[in-house]
């Protein structure tokens, strides 16, 4: 059977390449609104971050997405991102242990 290609993306905080499924996409739409792209299919400019709470906290400390998207974001966005990544990380650990 033919081996499928795994799409790789770069984590903007660490600079590491990882499979797309192991990352969270953050998108800035044409109106300049920045949000978490849960489906990975929203239109706009995207950037990826690993499903790791420590990396999300580092992004908050360094204001990474403000630099990448050339916009100002409040702390609520980063708090929402940290909570979302924490949830995804917990689900990943829970379901990987069950396999």
């Amino acid at each position: 059977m033919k081996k499928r290609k795994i799409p790789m993306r770069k984590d903007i905080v660490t600079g590491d390449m990882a499979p797309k499924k192991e990352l969270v996409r953050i998108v800035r739409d044409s109106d300049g609104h920045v949000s978490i792209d849960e489906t990975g299919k929203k239109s706009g400019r995207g950037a990826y971050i690993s499903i790791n709470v420590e990396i999300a906290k580092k992004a908050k400390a360094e204001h990474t997405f403000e630099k990448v998207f050339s916009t100002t974001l409040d702390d609520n966005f980063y708090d929402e991102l940290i909570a979302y990544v924490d949830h995804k990380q917990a689900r990943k650990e829970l379901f990987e242990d069950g396999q």
Side-chain angles (χ1 to χ4, degrees), residues 24-27 34-38 42 77 80-81 84:
V24 175
R25 184 173 187 248
I26 310 299
V27 66
V34 178
S35 62
I36 298 170
D37 184 3
E38 296 179 14
K42 284 186 181 177
F77 168 77
E80 181 183 337
L81 175 64
Y84 181 77

Side-chain angles (χ1 to χ4, degrees), residues 67-80:
K67 295 173 187 170
V68 170
F69 295 131
S70 302
T71 187
T72 56
L73 299 171
D74 57 356
D75 283 342
N76 292 336
F77 168 77
Y78 287 106
D79 294 336
E80 181 183 337

Side-chain angles (χ1 to χ4, degrees), residues 10-60:
K10 189 174 192 174
D11 179 345
I12 62 164
V13 179
T14 63
D16 296 335
M17 296 294 285
K20 188 176 175 181
K21 288 187 175 190
E22 295 179 10
L23 301 170
V24 175
R25 184 173 187 248
I26 310 299
V27 66
R28 184 191 71 203
D29 59 17
S30 59
D31 298 331
H33 180 70
V34 178
S35 62
I36 298 170
D37 184 3
E38 296 179 14
T39 62
K41 297 180 181 182
K42 284 186 181 177
S43 62
R45 181 163 186 261
Y48 292 85
I49 184 171
S50 295
I51 300 175
N52 185 326
V53 176
E54 297 304 318
I55 293 175
K57 288 180 181 177
K58 185 176 178 182
K60 180 180 179 179

